[in-house]
Each structure stands twice: as structure tokens, then as C-alpha cells.
Amino acid sequence: MATGKVIQITGPVIDVEFPPGQLPAIYHALEIQRPTSTAGLDDALIVEVQQHLGNNWVRAVAMSSTDGLARGLDAVDTGAPISVPVGAVTLGRVFDVLGKPIDGKGPVGESETLPIHRKAPGYVDMETEASVFETGIKVIDL
């Protein structure tokens, strides 16, 4: 896995410089370890590569707060996009953007995961009959 250095932080947008020939692909997740003194936040910040800027730089978007980050921190390419759990085990659960449960019901356990960016299903895989589509999303109309 390639390791780059944080060059610039502008709100949730982070620019990272990688060694020549080791740029991560678009939509790959990068992991940046926060300094241990950052209270109340996860140790690792996950960012997603959105653009190749040239000069071995990538522009990424943070998936949570960038508080506590500084230029010069290491950003490690995970080699894969952000993936979240899918299937029946996710029904009735609440997850954050990284696929971690935030509903207090404990871990999801063994389940299939899929990347958050993927191609739409082909027409052959779609159902043509009307049916109830269970999403697990609860809606409250005030």
C-alpha cells in the first residue's frame, strides 16, 4: 500500500502527495491516523479520493471531522473503496457513511459488503413486477 503526506487541509477537502507512480485510484479510501491528543474522535480519519491533481497529488473528501489534522501526517492507501454491509442483516439498523453501526445494537456480524460506488444493476437483474421494497429506512413526517 502506498503512503502519502497530507499537503493541504481546507475544511473537509484534503490534498495528499504520493510518491511518483503510486497514486491511489479514484474512489479509493485513504486512512489518516490522527494525533493521539485529539479527544472524542476516532483515531483514524477515512477520506475518499475524488480527483488526481497532477504533480503526484490527489484531492480527497473526509468522511468525518478533520479536527486535529495537520500537514505532514501520513495517508495510507487502503487499496479499495469504502465498503458497507448489505443484505437482510442491515434491515432495521442505522449506519454511518463508512458502514459502522451507530444504533447501539452492537456489531452487524458476518455480512456481505459492497463498495459505495458501483455500477447500477443491468436490466436483466431488475424485477418488472410491482413489489414492496424494504429499505430499513424509517421516515417520520412532522
Side-chain angles (χ1 to χ4, degrees):
M1 304 296 168
T3 300
K5 294 283 185 192
V6 174
I7 300 299
Q8 179 174 299
I9 304 161
T10 310
V13 179
I14 299 170
D15 293 344
V16 181
E17 182 178 21
F18 282 89
Q22 296 184 14
L23 282 180
I26 301 290
Y27 299 138
H28 269 204
L30 307 178
E31 185 174 306
I32 302 171
Q33 288 297 323
R34 296 179 202 263
T36 55
S37 63
T38 307
L41 297 171
D42 290 339
D43 290 340
L45 170 66
I46 303 297
V47 299
E48 183 181 63
V49 175
Q50 296 294 314
Q51 185 179 17
H52 292 156
L53 297 175
N55 295 329
N56 299 313
W57 285 28
V58 297
R59 180 155 289 161
V61 174
M63 297 295 120
S64 64
S65 173
T66 57
D67 290 348
L69 286 189
R71 290 181 295 183
L73 291 175
D74 287 341
V76 179
D77 179 13
T78 62
I82 297 170
S83 294
V84 297
V86 295
V89 296
T90 62
L91 293 176
R93 301 293 305 267
V94 181
F95 299 89
D96 65 8
V97 72
L98 299 173
K100 296 177 186 174
I102 57 173
D103 55 7
K105 294 182 180 179
V108 177
E110 296 296 320
S111 68
E112 179 185 2
T113 61
L114 290 174
I116 60 173
H117 298 285
R118 63 188 187 111
K119 291 184 178 180
Y123 287 115
V124 209
D125 299 327
M126 294 184 189
E127 294 182 18
T128 57
E129 299 175 9
S131 63
V132 175
F133 181 63
E134 293 184 50
T135 62
I137 298 172
K138 294 170 180 56
V139 177
I140 299 173
D141 185 3
L142 301 177

